[in-house]
Amino acid sequence: MSRAALTLILLLQCGLIALLYWPDSMLAQQREQSSLTAFNPDYVDEIHIDDGKNNEAILLRVDGQWLLPELDELPADRKLVQALLSAINLEPQGRPVADSIPARQRFQVATYHYLRRMTIISEGELLATVYLGTSPGFRKIHARNADSDSIYSIGFNVFDAPAFASGWLQRSLLQSNDVTAIQGPDYALRLEPQGWQASNGVAPDFREMEALLLALASLQTDGIAADDDQRTLSEAAPDLALTIATPGGDQRLEFFTLEGQHFVYSSKYPLFFTISDYDFDRITGIDGALLRAEFSDPGPDRSGDG
């Protein structure tokens, strides 16, 4: 047999071996690189998160903004939503940690036994259902797609996926930036080209003015007042009321104390919010006399008297 014929036979044998084994190697590689989910987060417009204990949070995206329909469509924290979608949509590191039915129950990612179930929807179409379970380590959690047996360990925390709407609330929704005017109970302040001025045309105390502006710009809500407190507060007189003007519109803030807890109401939203003692004290503790620029008269200079 000629050398050319032997070479041809060798090439055919190599091709046959590659044909037999190459699909398996590709399958193994695909299995190793498989991901928890495969959808475009930009298309997601509805998310349901429940804990299997009759608690559920619903998030809706309307005109690019995430809202909470259970809370009169208050804004949800966009960063929290993005963190959730990124965690379940990024390609996991390494292979799945398990894929057996007993492992689903052990890691609490079964259809009947889970810590969180997340339903991801786009225009009414189901994109994925993901179960979150036990934690194998710091900021790690077991996760499984309902359409797969594979269980992954992903970088996330179950507490970052609360099953109640108030857990997704945008905490900064009452903050006021670029303030141009403030009307208090006994002072009126306006930002003029030369700086802040009280109604008497005198500049308010610089430190007190800066403290008020900082408190308004960093105000954080802790959550939503309970239903009973909502009713009580709607009939109560505020401890302090402020009207704040910004380029985006005016906002009236009313601050309350009820049974040792502090609350705030905004003219922009229909509900009362809880706030910390720290935020409440920072705003209600402002000295109005210093803002009104009512400085005591030090009297005549007697340094030259004999």
Side-chain angles (χ1 to χ4, degrees):
M1 186 176 295
S2 67
R3 179 177 298 179
L6 290 174
T7 301
L8 179 60
I9 293 174
L10 179 60
L11 291 175
L12 291 173
Q13 289 176 337
C14 291
L16 181 60
I17 293 173
L19 184 63
L20 290 174
Y21 291 100
W22 180 72
D24 289 342
S25 63
M26 285 295 294
L27 183 60
Q29 183 179 6
Q30 290 176 356
R31 186 182 298 116
E32 182 175 350
Q33 295 180 354
S34 60
S35 59
L36 178 63
T37 61
F39 61 83
N40 188 337
D42 295 336
Y43 296 152
V44 176
D45 55 26
E46 185 174 350
I47 304 173
H48 294 241
I49 305 105
D50 78 88
D51 60 4
K53 300 177 182 178
N54 297 322
N55 298 310
E56 182 181 29
I58 300 175
L59 304 166
L60 297 178
R61 182 156 60 178
V62 180
D63 296 330
Q65 184 178 17
W66 286 100
L67 304 176
L68 301 166
E70 299 168 290
L71 296 179
D72 290 285
E73 297 191 343
L74 289 175
D77 191 316
R78 179 176 54 85
K79 292 183 179 179
L80 290 179
V81 179
Q82 288 179 337
L84 171 67
L85 293 175
S86 295
I88 65 175
N89 202 50
L90 290 178
E91 187 172 297
Q93 299 295 322
R95 297 181 179 181
V97 297
D99 58 10
S100 66
I101 293 179
R104 296 184 194 178
Q105 182 169 352
R106 185 168 72 253
F107 295 143
Q108 297 185 34
V109 290
T111 56
Y112 55 89
H113 186 47
Y114 55 85
L115 295 183
R116 296 289 188 275
R117 177 177 59 188
M118 298 181 298
T119 306
I120 314 298
I121 299 170
S122 173
E123 296 183 350
E125 179 182 351
L126 178 65
L127 296 181
T129 298
V130 176
Y131 297 98
L132 300 181
T134 58
S135 173
F138 178 70
R139 289 203 58 81
K140 289 287 187 178
I141 193 170
H142 290 117
R144 182 180 71 87
N145 190 321
D147 294 333
S148 173
D149 295 332
S150 299
I151 301 171
Y152 294 93
S153 174
I154 65 173
F156 198 63
N157 191 326
V158 72
F159 299 108
D160 292 330
F164 47 93
S166 60
W168 294 93
L169 184 66
Q170 180 182 316
R171 305 296 177 183
S172 61
L173 81 167
L174 301 185
Q175 292 178 358
S176 297
N177 295 284
D178 301 323
V179 177
T180 57
I182 304 173
Q183 175 70 55
D186 53 2
Y187 56 82
L189 305 163
R190 183 169 297 277
L191 182 60
E192 302 292 353
Q194 64 270 31
W196 281 96
Q197 286 188 354
S199 56
N200 58 5
V202 180
D205 180 82
F206 176 79
R207 291 184 179 179
E208 205 70 3
M209 190 71 227
E210 287 295 302
L212 177 57
L213 291 174
L214 178 59
L216 293 174
S218 57
L219 177 62
Q220 292 273 334
T221 62
D222 288 342
I224 305 295
D227 291 341
D228 290 343
D229 291 336
Q230 296 279 350
R231 288 188 287 269
T232 302
L233 291 166
S234 66
E235 301 175 354
D239 298 334
L240 173 69
L242 299 175
T243 300
I244 302 114
T246 68
D250 293 354
Q251 175 179 210
R252 179 177 171 84
L253 294 177
E254 298 179 353
F255 298 86
F256 301 81
T257 300
L258 180 63
E259 297 181 353
Q261 191 173 7
H262 300 304
F263 303 87
V264 61
Y265 174 82
S266 168
S267 57
K268 291 184 176 181
Y269 304 105
L271 298 174
F272 290 84
F273 302 90
T274 59
I275 59 173
S276 66
D277 296 349
Y278 174 71
D279 276 339
F280 181 85
D281 292 340
R282 282 207 303 169
I283 294 178
T284 61
I286 292 294
D287 191 332
L290 292 176
L291 294 178
R292 292 192 301 272
E294 294 180 354
F295 307 107
S296 60
D297 184 0
D301 184 4
R302 301 182 184 274
S303 59
D305 290 352

